[in-house]
Amino acid sequence: MKIEPISNLLVANNLKYPTLAILQPTMTPYTALLVQPEATIQVRDDFIRNADRMNAQNLFTAIAQEASARSVELLVTPEYSFPWIAIEELLSNGTTPRTGQLWVLGCESLPIAELGGLQARFSEWATVIHEPIIRPQGATTRYLNPMVYIFRTEKIDTNEPKVVMVVQFKTAPSGDPQNIEATRMALGNAVYLFEHGNEVRLITLICSDALAFSKKDIDENYEHLLLLHIQLNDKPRHETYMRYRRQLYELEGDRTEVICLNWAENITFDLHDGSAPVKKANISASAWHSKSAKLATDDVRVEKNHLSGLYYTHDDEQHSHMLHFSYKPAAFLLQASKVRHHAVPAALSRRLGPEVTKVLEWEAKTVTWTEAMQPLDDGFNEMTKAYGAPVTDLNSCHLVSPLAIERVSCIASGDFGPRQDWFKASNLSTTRLEPRTEVVRRVSVALDPDGKTFRDERVRTIRALASIPYASLPLPARMLDLQSGYRFNWSATSPNCNVRSIDADKPATLVYVGEGPLREDLSKFLAKIRATTSHTLFADRFCLLYRDGQDVKRFDPPLDRSITSTDVHPGKNFMEPEK
C-alpha cells in the first residue's frame, strides 16, 4: 500500500482538484447516505458479486437516485456491493453527483480482462482513471476488488466540466477460509488521499486494506482525517481490523473520525454451484467513530439517534465516542459536522457529530426505498419477553427513554456515583465499551451477542429486586410508601432514584447487591451511595438490599460521628443491619 495524493493523479490527467462539500472545514454540516444492505454474496474463482443480480441492480440504482434527489453530499456503499451495470445505467440516464458531492462506491469485482476496456465503457459519460495494474501478479489471479470515487470537476486547460471516476483497488487480501482473495485477487498499490490546504483529509480503506495501513501511514495522515472503511466482513471485530483504530486514537488531537460500513448482519455466502448457501451469524459492526471533544451526548440527540438505529457508546481508554448502527438492512441518511473547523469562531465551532435524519428501507416488491415509519428495533422488548414478568414491566420505561433503562439498571446494581453527573450518557458504565473489544454492553440495546453476559447480569439484578414482594421489602419508615407498590422510573429531577411509589408518587432508590455479600462490600456500596446522594433532595430515600439465605435484608448501620468533628464517615460502624 502506498498513500498517494489524488491531486497528482488528477493533474496527470488534466483535471482540477475538486471542491467537495464534506472536506470544507466550515461550520456548515454535511449530509451523508450510508447504505447497509442485506447480503447474499456469490463467490466463485472468477468473481465476487451479488447473488441476485437484478435485485442488486435495482437496489443500488435506486439508492443513488435517492442520493441525487436528496442532494446528499456523501454516498457510501460497502465492499463488493455496487454493480458496474448500475453505474452504467445511472450515468447514461444523467444521474451523477452534483458539483461538490462525492460518491464512494464499493463495487462488485472487476475481471482483469475487463480493466483495459473500462475507460472506453464509460467514456461517453465520465473520465475513468486508475493506477496501472502490472501483470502477471500470479497465474491464478482473475479479478480486482475495486471501489470508485465519482465526483465532478473541470479540465485544467479548458475549464470544461467533467464527471470523473477514480478507481481504487484493494491492496491486501483478506484471510477467508477458502483463501479466495489471496489466490484469485490481483492487488492494487495506491490508496488515494484527498488533501488540499486547510481542508479535511479523506482516505478510503477496502476491508483488509486495514492490515496494510501501517503505523507510519497513520502518523502521517491522522490529523483532520475522515477515514472510510468499507467492508464485506463476517468477523468485523477481529483484532486485525480494529488495530488501526486504536493506533489512530492513541495520538494527540480530536480531529479524526472513522466511518466503518459493512453489510447487514448474517451475511450469506453462495460458494459453490449446486450447494446450499452458507449463512453466517455475524453482526454488521457498522459504526461512526469520533474523537470530537464537543460531540453531542445530550439526551435529546442520543435518544433521537437511538430511535433511528444509531446507538451511542464511549471508550474511556481512548477518549473517543463510537456510535453503532443497527445491524438490520437499511440506508441511513445523516447530517454531520465537519471533522475539522478552520477559521471558525470558537463559540460557533461545535463538532457535534452525526445525527440520523431518515432511515430508508428497501422494498424489493415495489423496487423502491421507503422511509421507515417506526423506530428501529433495538432488541430490548425481545430480551425482556424472554425473561417475562416482572422484567417486562421495564418496557414502558424503555418506551419513554432508552437511557432511563441504563440509569435504572446502574442504580439497581449500585453502579452509580460518586460524581454528581454520573448519569450523563458519556459517563454511564453501561454505555462504556468493553475495553479493547468494541463490545456494546448497553442494556437498552440488546443486539450485541458478545455483550449478553453483561446485559444478563444487569437484567437479573433488576428481576431479583422486582421479584421481592412489595410488602416484604425491609424498608425504613421513611420509605414505607413503596410497600404499596412501585414502578421503575428515572427522572432528571431525582437522578439518583430508580423507582417511584405508586400511591404516594414519590421517588426512591433501591439497590440490590445479591446473595450473601461480604460485609466489607456492603460497606463500600453504602459509602458510595451516601457520598452520591448526601446533598440531594431525596438523600433519605434509599435502601441497600441483599439476600441472606431466604431472608431479604437491608444494610443500614448508623453513621459514626467523631466527637470532635461533624464530618460524616459513612459505613464505618458495622452493626448488625436492620431487618
Side-chain angles (χ1 to χ4, degrees), residues 59 72 103 114 135 254 280 364 377 397 448 511 551 555 563:
L59 182 153
V72 169
W103 292 359
E114 295 183 13
R135 293 295 310 277
D254 74 337
K280 301 289 186 175
D377 184 10
C397 181
D448 191 331
V511 177
D551 297 327
F555 188 73
I563 296 175

Side-chain angles (χ1 to χ4, degrees), residues 158-269:
T158 65
N159 296 327
E160 178 188 354
K162 299 294 294 185
V163 174
V164 178
M165 296 171 57
V166 175
V167 186
Q168 177 179 306
F169 304 111
K170 192 174 185 179
T171 66
S174 63
D176 58 278
Q178 290 75 31
N179 218 27
I180 292 170
E181 281 196 342
T183 58
R184 296 292 186 264
M185 185 183 75
L187 301 180
N189 182 58
V191 169
Y192 294 115
L193 167 67
F194 286 85
E195 180 182 35
H196 183 70
N198 291 315
E199 290 187 1
V200 173
R201 292 169 167 164
L202 174 70
I203 290 175
T204 300
L205 301 180
I206 306 172
C207 201
S208 50
D209 280 343
L211 282 62
F213 194 45
S214 69
K215 185 65 166 61
K216 180 176 180 291
D217 294 329
I218 290 170
D219 289 347
E220 292 177 352
N221 295 286
Y222 79 96
E223 289 186 293
H224 319 143
L225 176 66
L226 175 58
L227 178 64
L228 307 179
H229 188 191
I230 61 173
Q231 304 173 61
L232 168 63
N233 195 346
D234 63 350
K235 295 181 179 179
R237 282 204 301 235
H238 191 280
E239 166 63 21
T240 55
Y241 292 98
M242 294 193 299
R243 186 182 300 121
Y244 78 91
R245 293 195 285 276
R246 285 205 299 272
Q247 292 174 338
L248 276 171
Y249 291 134
E250 286 169 356
L251 299 172
E252 175 61 27
D254 74 337
R255 297 172 181 176
T256 305
E257 295 193 1
V258 179
I259 300 175
C260 293
L261 183 62
N262 200 4
W263 295 70
E265 64 181 354
N266 304 332
I267 297 170
T268 298
F269 290 102

Side-chain angles (χ1 to χ4, degrees), residues 458-478:
R458 290 303 175 95
V459 174
R460 285 170 182 157
T461 295
I462 293 174
R463 180 177 65 179
L465 174 60
S467 297
I468 301 170
Y470 299 142
S472 300
L473 287 168
L475 300 168
R478 60 188 177 273

Side-chain angles (χ1 to χ4, degrees), residues 205-367:
L205 301 180
I206 306 172
C207 201
S208 50
D209 280 343
L211 282 62
F213 194 45
S214 69
K215 185 65 166 61
K216 180 176 180 291
D217 294 329
I218 290 170
D219 289 347
E220 292 177 352
N221 295 286
Y222 79 96
E223 289 186 293
H224 319 143
L225 176 66
L226 175 58
L227 178 64
L228 307 179
H229 188 191
I230 61 173
Q231 304 173 61
L232 168 63
N233 195 346
D234 63 350
K235 295 181 179 179
R237 282 204 301 235
H238 191 280
E239 166 63 21
T240 55
Y241 292 98
M242 294 193 299
R243 186 182 300 121
Y244 78 91
R245 293 195 285 276
R246 285 205 299 272
Q247 292 174 338
L248 276 171
Y249 291 134
E250 286 169 356
L251 299 172
E252 175 61 27
D254 74 337
R255 297 172 181 176
T256 305
E257 295 193 1
V258 179
I259 300 175
C260 293
L261 183 62
N262 200 4
W263 295 70
E265 64 181 354
N266 304 332
I267 297 170
T268 298
F269 290 102
D270 174 358
L271 299 172
H272 304 286
D273 290 335
S275 298
V278 177
K279 188 170 187 177
K280 301 289 186 175
N282 67 279
I283 64 171
S284 65
S286 296
W288 195 302
H289 306 249
S290 176
K291 283 199 73 176
S292 172
K294 296 183 179 180
L295 189 127
T297 59
D298 58 280
D299 283 19
V300 172
R301 172 68 71 90
V302 170
E303 297 201 321
K304 180 181 184 298
N305 277 340
H306 186 114
L307 295 177
S308 298
L310 184 59
Y311 309 116
Y312 175 79
T313 62
H314 58 98
D315 186 333
D316 284 358
E317 285 188 358
Q318 306 210 317
H319 309 288
S320 63
H321 311 273
M322 186 173 176
L323 290 84
H324 308 256
F325 289 95
S326 167
Y327 303 158
K328 301 296 183 184
F332 300 90
L333 186 65
L334 305 102
Q335 177 176 285
S337 53
K338 306 291 179 51
V339 174
R340 182 194 188 200
H341 288 167
H342 178 72
V344 174
L348 301 178
S349 181
R350 298 185 178 91
R351 293 177 42 239
L352 302 179
E355 179 181 8
V356 180
T357 56
K358 299 287 182 184
V359 178
L360 307 180
E361 297 174 331
W362 176 241
E363 299 287 348
K365 291 183 179 179
T366 59
V367 196

Side-chain angles (χ1 to χ4, degrees), residues 456-495:
D456 284 348
E457 179 182 334
R458 290 303 175 95
V459 174
R460 285 170 182 157
T461 295
I462 293 174
R463 180 177 65 179
L465 174 60
S467 297
I468 301 170
Y470 299 142
S472 300
L473 287 168
L475 300 168
R478 60 188 177 273
M479 296 175 65
L480 290 179
D481 52 302
L482 296 178
Q483 289 186 338
S484 298
Y486 66 83
R487 67 184 186 278
F488 287 104
N489 174 268
W490 186 89
S491 169
T493 59
S494 51

